[in-house]
DNA sequence: CACTTTACTTGACGTCGGTTCAACAACGGG
DNA sequence: CCCGTTGTTGAACCGACGTCAAGTAAAGTG
């Protein structure tokens, strides 16, 4: 009902701090409710500011959502940067561990991010697709660098599609895992790893 | 701008015919735009009826969307019913062919259906999840009936999650395939088949 | 051809959430 | 202590959802 901090002292934050705070609140709300069930007023209320301020920082509600998605995609890509020079099989396990760590600690952002898939308009979708493309590229590069897969990779037209599909696989598994973790992190990791190797294997 | 058929003759359809028509228009619009960019007035205009009539058949916009999703899920399940008594490997190829045929001929409905994943509220989501669960069950039953996979299936806790992930894989691949069919139907079919076998194989 | 039924239209209205904007107030420098 | 900068507010505007009562006309029925 009331603001986060009591209404007695109206805090005045710097532009960046306020933006950050609003995006964090947005990530939580967008992770729990579909896009159009999140009211801009609700975000402002939880953040302890007025509706107007939100529109001062973000032109429209869509832009606000896009900013939440973009912020989360950046965090995700930053946390799961590839480690070059390591065999793909091994690197995959490590990368998946990092990924699952990210999913676990930033569950809200992760869920909010993946809402952009089906709920977004052109703008949001573009941000989302760019992030997915970056992940795909990351995976393809890691695979191509490994002598086990690299050489045969370029000859197959379905590899790109396979990687995209695998990302959807991993996403679905992780979202379900967050819902109720009936499997251990290691089991999830191995399942996803097995899936990728199964698709790109001859 | 104007109605589908010229405005000179106002056609009077049966309840079922009209519902069907409206749902078809809805499927097309929801396949091309996110939920909140589809106006109820737009649907009515294209169908050549008044806004009021739409609210006569569907209480709210959400119910309308849910009806679109449900209709499409029924069609999908009906068209991809399992054929018992056939080995899983073989049945998988046939089922995927049927599935891809459905995806191709009902692209609008297919896209609209999968918007419910992230754009839906509780009601819509329930419809969507029920359809997914039915597909999962269908796959698990087919696998369990085959002596090659059946016996070992019950012992593994990750099978359900794997199947769910595979559905997401297939969905992502099909949606991308609809976008620009750079791969033939056979290639897509084989890719998806390989994916499932790769995940449930030991 | 009357008569009934019922799909369908019309248009005005209330509501609610997104969006705009002029004014306000908290901080920082002089 | 005053003043400019700028974070922030509150209220009004708008447009889409949803309601409703009264009426219109297309089909079936005798």
């Amino acid at each position: 009902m009331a603001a986060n901090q009591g209404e007695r002292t109206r805090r005045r934050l710097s532009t960046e701090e306020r933006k950050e705070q609003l995006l964090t609140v947005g990530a939580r709300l967008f992770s729990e409710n579909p896009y159009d069930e999140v009211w801009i007023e609700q975000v402002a209320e939880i953040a302890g500011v007025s509706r107007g301020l939100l529109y001062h920082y973000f032109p429209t509600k869509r832009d606000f959502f896009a900013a939440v998605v973009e912020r989360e995609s950046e965090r995700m890509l930053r946390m799961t940067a590839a480690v070059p020079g390591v065999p793909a099989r091994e690197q995959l396990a490590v990368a998946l561990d990092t990924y699952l760590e990210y999913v676990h600690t930033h569950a809200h952002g992760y869920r909010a991010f993946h809402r952009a898939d089906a709920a977004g308009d052109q703008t949001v979708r573009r941000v989302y697709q760019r992030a997915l493309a970056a992940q795909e590229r990351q995976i393809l590069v890691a695979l191509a660098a490994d002598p086990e897969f690299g050489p045969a990779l370029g000859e197959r037209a379905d590899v790109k599609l396979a990687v995209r599909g695998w990302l959807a696989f991993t996403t679905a598994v992780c979202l379900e895992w967050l819902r109720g973790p009936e499997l251990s992190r290691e089991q999830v990791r191995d399942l996803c790893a097995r899936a990728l190797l199964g698709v790109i294997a001859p």
Side-chain angles (χ1 to χ4, degrees), chain A residues 86-147:
Chain A
V86 184
R89 283 194 128 83
E90 187 181 329
Q91 190 173 170
L92 179 57
V94 176
L96 274 172
D97 268 328
T98 320
Y99 185 80
L100 292 176
E101 172 66 23
Y102 160 75
V103 169
H104 187 256
T105 59
H106 293 87
H108 285 154
Y110 186 70
R111 272 191 289 249
F113 173 70
H114 283 291
R115 241 180 236 291
D117 188 14
D121 73 327
Q122 230 50 33
T123 308
V124 177
R125 206 166 171 72
R126 198 170 304 133
V127 174
Y128 183 75
Q129 293 291 349
R130 203 190 318 144
L132 281 198
Q135 283 194 314
E136 283 176 29
R137 219 174 304 122
Q138 205 162 289
I139 294 166
L140 285 173
V141 166
L143 285 175
D146 189 292

Side-chain angles (χ1 to χ4, degrees), chain A residues 23-33 35 65 68-70 72-73 102 106-119 124 128 175 178:
Chain A
L23 290 175
T24 300
V25 172
R28 205 191 87 207
L29 291 181
F30 282 123
S31 90
E32 291 166 350
N33 311 96
Y35 177 80
F65 181 49
V68 169
V69 170
E70 180 140 47
E72 217 56 41
S73 83
Y102 160 75
H106 293 87
H108 285 154
Y110 186 70
R111 272 191 289 249
F113 173 70
H114 283 291
R115 241 180 236 291
D117 188 14
V124 177
Y128 183 75
L175 287 175
L178 284 179

Side-chain angles (χ1 to χ4, degrees), chain A residues 5 9-15 17-18:
Chain A
Q5 55 254 20
T9 33
R10 201 164 73 194
R11 296 287 287 276
R12 188 190 168 110
L13 302 181
S14 76
T15 300
E17 282 175 320
R18 186 61 81 191

Side-chain angles (χ1 to χ4, degrees), chain A residues 153-164:
Chain A
L153 225 61
E155 304 163 10
R156 291 173 50 194
D158 60 352
V159 175
K160 272 189 65 179
L161 206 55
V163 170
R164 165 154 311 200

